[in-house]
Amino acid sequence: MIDANNAISATRVHAHNRALSKCRAVIDDIFPVGETGFFVVGGIAGIGQYTREIWLGSDTEHCDILQQASRYPRPDTIAETGSHSDYRISDSGFMAFIPDGMLRLREERLAVVCDGEVLYHLEVRKMPICGMPPLETAKRLLRHVPLHGGRMRELFERQIAPAITTLDFPNSATIKPTIREYGVMPKQPIASVVVPLYGRLDLMEHQLSEFRLDAPFCAEVELIYVLDDPKLQDSFTSFCHAVAPLYGVPFRTLTYGINLGYAGANNIGARVARSEYLVLLNSDILPDQPGWVQTLKAIYQQLPDCGALGVRLLFPDGSIQHDGMRFERFPFLDHLWINAHPGKGLPASEASLPTTTTLVPAVTAACLWVSREDFFKTAGGFDEGYLIGDFEDSDLCLKLLVKGRRNYLTQEVVLYHLERQSQSLSSETRLLREQITAYNCWRHTQRWDAMLSRLCEED
Amino acid sequence: MRVLIIAHAHPDFSKGGGELAAYQMFQALQQRGDDAWFLAAHREQSLSHGGTPFSVLREREILWFAPMTDHFLIAPSNRQTVWKDFRELLERLQPEVIHFHHYMNIGIQAIQQAVQYRKTVGKSVRVILTLHEYLVICANDGQMILRQTKELCTEANPPRCAYCFRDIGKQPEDFFLRNRLFRACLTGVDAFVAPSHFLKKAYVRWGLAEEQIAVIENGQPPVGKLLPRGLRDDEVRGEFAYFGQINQFKGLDILLSALDFLPKASRKKIRVQVFGTGLENQPEAFQQTIAQLRERLGRYVVFHGSYRTEQLPGLLSTVDTVVVPSIWWENSPLVIQEAFKYGRPVICSDVGGMREKVRDGVDGLHFSCRSPASLAEAMVKASEPNTWDHLHRNTPVPVTVVACLEQHDPLYFGKTNDLQKRPAELSPWAVLANVLN
């Protein structure tokens, strides 16, 4: 496979038909991971009982990639070779993370071997590496993960996660953002609202339009917008300059020229926040009543041991988008734990009466009240190991539970959440999204499986 | 009292009814001794200076260069002209009444700027908005008709609107945001003026408070009624006319098709004169329809081309009845008022503002909207001389501009509405239901 962004690729060299029938190895993708490693994905089939190997290194000093690889079904490989393979379909695909692979790649080829005899070589073309950004590498890894067929967990655990962990993602702790202020900020804010921005800026204007009508908000709340999208950096400054005086709502902006992801953007905003309390807020959330932040504070102060306080969120049509989260095993993702939203889609009037504040295991960070101390000291901020953004909120809520806090959901404060379906995605992009979500979901389950099993047995 | 009238266009450069009504109010205010100023938007780069959006047309008439790019959110392409330049203008002029006749081109945010200006200035400043159309309610050019089928729309809610706009990929959330933004922009307006009860009803359904909307018809300069057209002994009242821009929503094709439905006896006695232009800007299909009808109808249809307002009396004296066959709701079509003030009855579609302004069987006739057969029936009735005389005698005298101005005085002098209350959200969605009376 030859790919313009590919640093290395592998093609077969000088193989006779007899050799191919004994062992037909195909490399679908091979690329560097981190400074020294590479990741290889391919398929293997053949007729006859042999010990088949793929050697990395020289003929005299080598290691077998297949030893380190995980195997999984690749029906397309078998189809390509015909049905006469002695390989089971379940073993026909392989993927391997070789941590020191780039160092050991001698003479730039891999040897395909049967019973110790080199049948032919796969030439690995090495081109100058421009350095794929860590997120791009992670996406490339995840593209190959089959979500069905039962091997997903093992592939994450044995190959994908070890590879991702060596990647050098930027961390919010090392970033010094540029801070700008528009308007006159409240001197002693009762809360800091942190809003990460990515992909689009127009929603920020709609939020400002709503906040403008909320006099207590303008007087007592520190509003912080965090731009997590370097592509928008140039237009962002002129956008703020055009829009800020139009609405007259004071706000601060943080920019830092890279994409940290949801967790990092929130961590940085929370770090810079000046008040004791944080309201983590998505950019696609619109308040419905003035004074909602003050109301949240009043509710929080009445609740014993409150860690995270979440709110009821509605879709624009008035149906429930979020009413607290519950954990469930999802059979279609190998029974990993997912964050369920009970009542989602039901008309709010039917969902529950009267409006109450209840204990829940977790709440969404689309709108979440938490003290700054709990966020950082008790929970250690958002975990930046989740890719792009997902599960950070339930992760945070569970960290708070472990330290003895309790999480609550209040229906007395209601906001709109414009959680939109992205219609224009290609099926390929949709699949990648699912793969990224699956990885985050697996990572979350790895950490919390025991605790969630206990929690759900107690119910 | 200093009054600033703001329009989206200047009648010197644009022929619409809204800007004409605004300008006439400005002139009437001046005539009665008020300290009036007129601010009109325009889109001609050549008329503007560099470094400022403002220029002067005449004393007290300021032009505002405001090319608008976002029609969906009625937002100006350059927001700075709204919060900086417009605001500075207000601070210099210090008007006590800021009367918007529109928000097109200047952007609906300008209304909020006026409200903000009032807050900072501390003394009583009244912010008034006259609603001339339905843009805030309907993103389809404010017509409240469905984009694909051109049928009349009776209910606006985000899922329906998104469905109507599915060809350009709009989603319900886009309309949710649009509605909320507009509601926010209109919060703090002291009073709204609607030229028709129909329009008021539509806006009340959308969420404006009933008490805040006054129905005041646009004033007309007073003129004398024309004598009826002289008839020969055996002649009937067969001269019908269409006045105004020729576009696909004004129903000229319905009127021309109606001639096909006339009973044999009437056929050679009825003629349609068309005054106005604009056909060349219409979609191909519509242009073809008109061309085919024109050819088939031969000398029973006469296209006169454009006309100036001063020519109206002369043109109307050759006409018996004016026809307004619009296929959309309309608000208060200027052509109806003009016909009435010169003593000509009107036949119009039985929907919306038209139905309200023309009283069926009193000063005109209704026909079933979009039905050439129904229109033909009405034309036959109106051509009967005794019927026509009755209708002609009952044509109302439109409100004069001065009287219209006097009706505004309670709004101009009333107490400032300091409510932060935004227009209500009636249900999760605003509903424009059952507006068909």
Side-chain angles (χ1 to χ4, degrees), chain A residues 205 210 213 242 247 317 423, chain B residues 79 83 109 171 422 429:
Chain A
E205 183 165 6
E210 300 287 329
L213 298 175
Y247 297 95
D317 64 6
Q423 307 287 359
Chain B
R79 287 180 185 81
W83 58 257
Q109 293 286 1
Q171 299 183 346
R422 61 165 24 179
W429 306 120

Side-chain angles (χ1 to χ4, degrees), chain B residues 29-43:
Chain B
L29 280 164
Q30 280 194 300
Q31 265 154 28
R32 94 170 172 188
D34 281 302
D35 182 6
W37 286 77
F38 191 66
L39 175 64
H42 69 96
R43 295 193 277 205

Side-chain angles (χ1 to χ4, degrees), chain A residues 68-107:
Chain A
Q68 294 189 250
S70 294
R71 312 294 281 269
Y72 62 100
R74 282 287 301 271
D76 58 327
T77 312
I78 298 298
E80 209 183 82
T81 57
S83 49
H84 308 296
S85 176
D86 280 304
Y87 263 93
R88 296 187 306 266
I89 290 178
S90 54
D91 285 341
S92 54
F94 64 88
M95 68 165 69
F97 171 53
I98 314 292
D100 55 356
M102 293 300 281
L103 304 171
R104 305 182 66 154
L105 192 62
R106 309 264 160 72
E107 294 157 41

